[in-house]
Amino acid sequence: METRIQIFTLSAALFLFSLADVSGQGGAFPKTSDAPKPSKTPRTVDLRSAPGSENALKARASFAEIRLESDSSRGAAGMTGRMNVFRKFIRVEISNAPRISPPSLLKVKYDVEEDGGRTTKEESVPINLLIPHFTVDTPGFEDTYGTDVKSSIGITTISSTKYKYPEANIVSLHVTVTDKDGNELFLGSWPSAETRGANLPDHLKVRTFTSTDGKKLQASVGGVDGNNVTLMINGKPFNVDLSKLSAGDQEFLKKIQSKSGP
């Protein structure tokens, strides 16, 4: 009997753990497969990044939802209804995260429209992953919607009434990713475009680099490793020997390298 009780307790604990994982408060995951699996295929939105941030971190956003509960009802008059409870949240897939000034915080601001009204929500998720590609889920909100059927008994009749609860939909989104110093590594929105540029750290700003033979190019810094520097040109990395750049560029890059630490 004691063994059976232990097995039941363990099974219950595992069930509660899985439920807590499904209805949790979001987080950062090294792989999308590590994140809780949505009940439906997430809806990807065209997240439009801020002007001048082409060489910065990339982010793709989608609206995801996980079913928490579903309950059907049947009235005496033959009508049926179903109420659903979902956790709806923002899933952000980040790529090309810089080694210098790695992402530290994801912030989202979005509008939710329901039954003709609109509310604004703001959420943030700390990021502690020092890898270039990963997924972040926001806490999100619970949405209860569907139709509920209830019966009423009169003096001589039994009737049923349907109560409708509208589904909530996300209608706008702003995404910001910052480093530990508060610099914006990414700024994007949907469906409207961002009107201002992101407050990028120095190494992600496009600047003019000059080679020792006088040639010039527009690029940002992807990383500095000893005597090798990675320059980002139109989002593509190019490795350059530090000694091939002007003295001013070398001084600029060495300052960036000292800030990034070992």
Side-chain angles (χ1 to χ4, degrees):
M1 176 66 70
E2 183 178 351
T3 302
R4 290 183 179 178
I5 292 175
Q6 290 175 343
I7 292 175
F8 173 79
T9 303
L10 177 60
S11 299
L14 290 173
F15 171 76
L16 291 174
F17 176 80
S18 63
L19 182 61
D21 185 56
V22 167
S23 60
Q25 297 300 303
F29 307 93
K31 300 178 182 178
T32 303
S33 57
D34 296 331
K37 186 177 181 180
S39 302
K40 302 176 183 178
T41 301
R43 174 194 168 196
T44 301
V45 295
D46 183 18
L47 196 61
R48 304 166 71 178
S49 58
S53 59
E54 293 80 6
N55 292 331
L57 173 152
K58 307 296 182 185
R60 185 176 70 169
S62 57
F63 302 149
E65 52 187 55
I66 294 176
R67 185 192 302 272
L68 301 179
E69 186 180 342
S70 182
D71 185 34
S72 60
S73 59
R74 182 181 295 275
M79 294 186 293
T80 59
R82 177 174 294 277
M83 291 295 294
N84 301 288
V85 181
F86 279 82
R87 179 171 76 91
K88 296 186 174 182
F89 57 95
I90 312 297
R91 172 162 288 180
V92 180
E93 296 178 42
I94 293 176
S95 59
N96 297 335
R99 289 176 293 171
I100 305 173
S101 299
S104 178
L105 187 69
L106 167 74
K107 296 185 290 186
V108 298
K109 181 179 180 180
Y110 56 97
D111 289 333
V112 178
E113 194 170 69
E114 181 180 20
D115 198 20
R118 181 175 293 196
T119 57
T120 300
K121 298 181 180 294
E122 296 186 45
E123 300 171 342
S124 60
V125 181
I127 300 172
N128 298 307
L129 298 173
L130 300 177
I131 54 178
H133 312 291
F134 54 90
T135 298
V136 184
D137 286 351
T138 66
F141 63 98
E142 283 194 8
D143 181 27
T144 301
Y145 65 92
T147 56
D148 192 17
V149 178
K150 294 183 179 179
S151 297
S152 57
I153 302 176
I155 298 177
T156 58
T157 61
I158 300 176
S159 60
S160 298
T161 305
K162 277 188 177 181
Y163 297 90
K164 295 183 179 180
Y165 299 86
E167 182 175 0
N169 293 299
I170 300 173
V171 294
S172 72
L173 173 65
H174 289 266
V175 176
T176 308
V177 181
T178 62
D179 63 14
K180 62 181 179 61
D181 296 320
N183 296 310
E184 294 172 339
L185 305 177
F186 178 85
L187 177 66
S189 62
W190 169 88
S192 60
E194 285 290 346
T195 56
R196 72 171 179 87
N199 180 28
L200 298 170
D202 288 343
H203 71 278
L204 288 182
K205 295 177 181 177
V206 176
R207 70 190 299 273
T208 301
F209 287 88
T210 306
S211 64
T212 52
D213 60 2
K215 294 181 180 178
K216 299 181 182 294
L217 57 88
Q218 297 287 312
S220 63
V221 182
V224 184
D225 185 9
N227 291 324
N228 184 67
V229 57
T230 300
L231 297 181
M232 304 296 295
I233 303 174
N234 295 325
K236 296 181 180 179
F238 293 89
N239 293 325
V240 179
D241 192 307
L242 193 62
S243 63
K244 301 293 185 182
L245 296 174
S246 68
D249 289 337
Q250 291 186 39
E251 183 179 355
F252 170 77
L253 293 168
K254 287 177 180 178
K255 287 181 179 178
I256 290 178
Q257 185 178 28
S258 65
K259 291 181 180 178
S260 64

